[in-house]
Short mmCIF file of all heavy atoms in Angstrom, two decimals:
data_model
loop_
_atom_site.label_atom_id
_atom_site.label_comp_id
_atom_site.label_asym_id
_atom_site.label_seq_id
_atom_site.Cartn_x
_atom_site.Cartn_y
_atom_site.Cartn_z
N ALA A 113 -6.53 11.67 5.80
CA ALA A 113 -6.02 12.32 7.01
C ALA A 113 -4.62 11.69 7.15
O ALA A 113 -4.47 10.63 7.10
CB ALA A 113 -6.92 11.98 8.18
N ALA A 114 -3.63 12.58 7.53
CA ALA A 114 -2.36 12.14 7.65
C ALA A 114 -1.61 12.83 8.78
O ALA A 114 -1.97 13.99 9.19
CB ALA A 114 -1.60 12.32 6.40
N GLY A 115 -0.54 12.21 9.33
CA GLY A 115 0.21 12.76 10.30
C GLY A 115 1.41 13.65 9.61
O GLY A 115 1.87 13.17 8.61
N GLY A 116 1.51 14.82 10.18
CA GLY A 116 2.77 15.53 9.42
C GLY A 116 4.06 15.28 10.05
O GLY A 116 4.33 15.38 11.24
N VAL A 187 1.53 3.45 5.77
CA VAL A 187 1.66 2.40 6.75
C VAL A 187 0.42 1.58 7.06
O VAL A 187 -0.56 1.98 6.64
CB VAL A 187 2.21 2.90 8.12
CG1 VAL A 187 3.61 3.48 7.85
CG2 VAL A 187 1.16 3.89 8.67
N ASN A 191 -2.42 1.05 14.76
CA ASN A 191 -1.82 1.80 15.85
C ASN A 191 -1.04 3.07 15.07
O ASN A 191 -0.65 2.89 13.93
CB ASN A 191 -0.75 1.08 16.56
CG ASN A 191 0.34 0.48 15.81
OD1 ASN A 191 0.11 -0.50 15.10
ND2 ASN A 191 1.52 1.10 15.77
N LEU A 192 -0.92 4.02 15.85
CA LEU A 192 -0.13 5.16 15.45
C LEU A 192 1.37 4.82 15.53
O LEU A 192 1.56 3.79 16.14
CB LEU A 192 -0.51 6.47 16.07
CG LEU A 192 -1.94 6.95 15.62
CD1 LEU A 192 -2.64 7.48 16.66
CD2 LEU A 192 -1.92 7.72 14.42
N GLU A 193 2.27 5.68 15.02
CA GLU A 193 3.58 5.34 15.11
C GLU A 193 4.38 5.71 16.41
O GLU A 193 3.93 6.50 17.22
CB GLU A 193 4.35 6.10 14.04
CG GLU A 193 4.26 5.54 12.63
CD GLU A 193 2.68 5.70 12.20
OE1 GLU A 193 2.15 6.85 12.43
OE2 GLU A 193 2.09 4.93 11.58
N TYR A 198 8.55 7.49 13.66
CA TYR A 198 8.37 8.80 13.01
C TYR A 198 9.82 9.33 12.60
O TYR A 198 9.95 9.98 11.54
CB TYR A 198 7.80 9.91 13.97
CG TYR A 198 6.33 9.66 14.21
CD1 TYR A 198 5.68 9.56 15.45
CD2 TYR A 198 5.48 9.62 13.06
CE1 TYR A 198 4.31 9.46 15.50
CE2 TYR A 198 4.09 9.44 13.14
CZ TYR A 198 3.50 9.44 14.45
OH TYR A 198 2.18 9.32 14.58
N VAL A 209 2.43 10.93 6.84
CA VAL A 209 2.18 9.43 7.03
C VAL A 209 0.70 9.09 7.33
O VAL A 209 -0.04 9.84 7.95
CB VAL A 209 2.99 8.81 8.16
CG1 VAL A 209 2.86 9.57 9.43
CG2 VAL A 209 2.85 7.30 8.23
N GLY A 210 0.20 8.06 6.56
CA GLY A 210 -1.17 7.67 6.70
C GLY A 210 -1.30 6.23 6.39
O GLY A 210 -0.34 5.43 6.11
N MET A 211 -2.63 5.75 6.61
CA MET A 211 -2.99 4.37 6.38
C MET A 211 -3.81 4.02 5.19
O MET A 211 -4.44 2.99 5.27
CB MET A 211 -3.69 3.80 7.68
CG MET A 211 -2.88 4.11 9.10
SD MET A 211 -3.91 3.82 10.41
CE MET A 211 -2.89 4.53 11.67
N THR A 234 -3.50 15.99 10.37
CA THR A 234 -4.21 16.00 11.64
C THR A 234 -3.38 15.91 12.83
O THR A 234 -4.02 16.10 13.95
CB THR A 234 -5.22 14.79 11.59
OG1 THR A 234 -4.48 13.62 11.18
CG2 THR A 234 -6.25 14.99 10.39
N ASP A 235 -2.07 15.69 12.78
CA ASP A 235 -1.31 15.71 13.93
C ASP A 235 0.05 15.81 13.50
O ASP A 235 0.53 15.70 12.39
CB ASP A 235 -1.54 14.33 14.72
CG ASP A 235 -1.39 13.05 13.88
OD1 ASP A 235 -2.06 12.91 12.81
OD2 ASP A 235 -0.38 12.32 14.10
N CYS A 237 3.90 15.12 14.10
CA CYS A 237 4.60 13.91 14.47
C CYS A 237 6.04 14.24 14.75
O CYS A 237 7.01 13.85 13.99
CB CYS A 237 4.49 12.79 13.43
SG CYS A 237 2.87 12.60 12.98
N ILE A 245 -1.87 11.09 20.84
CA ILE A 245 -3.08 11.49 20.05
C ILE A 245 -3.98 10.43 20.02
O ILE A 245 -3.71 9.24 20.24
CB ILE A 245 -2.62 11.85 18.55
CG1 ILE A 245 -1.56 10.95 18.09
CG2 ILE A 245 -2.23 13.27 18.32
CD1 ILE A 245 -1.20 11.04 16.61
N ILE A 250 -8.01 13.42 15.92
CA ILE A 250 -7.76 13.39 14.40
C ILE A 250 -9.10 13.78 13.66
O ILE A 250 -8.93 14.62 12.75
CB ILE A 250 -7.16 11.99 14.07
CG1 ILE A 250 -5.67 11.90 14.57
CG2 ILE A 250 -7.22 11.83 12.51
CD1 ILE A 250 -4.99 10.59 14.29
N1 HPA B 301 0.20 8.00 11.53
C1 HPA B 301 -0.67 7.27 10.72
N2 HPA B 301 -1.81 7.54 10.19
C2 HPA B 301 -2.28 8.71 10.55
C3 HPA B 301 -1.62 9.58 11.36
C4 HPA B 301 -0.34 9.27 11.84
O1 HPA B 301 0.23 10.00 12.60
N3 HPA B 301 -2.42 10.72 11.48
C5 HPA B 301 -3.58 10.42 10.62
N4 HPA B 301 -3.52 9.33 10.16
#
Side-chain angles (χ1 to χ4, degrees):
V187 294
N191 59 283
L192 291 143
E193 285 67 42
Y198 284 131
V209 56
M211 303 173 195
T234 51
D235 50 300
C237 312
I245 36 170
I250 285 177

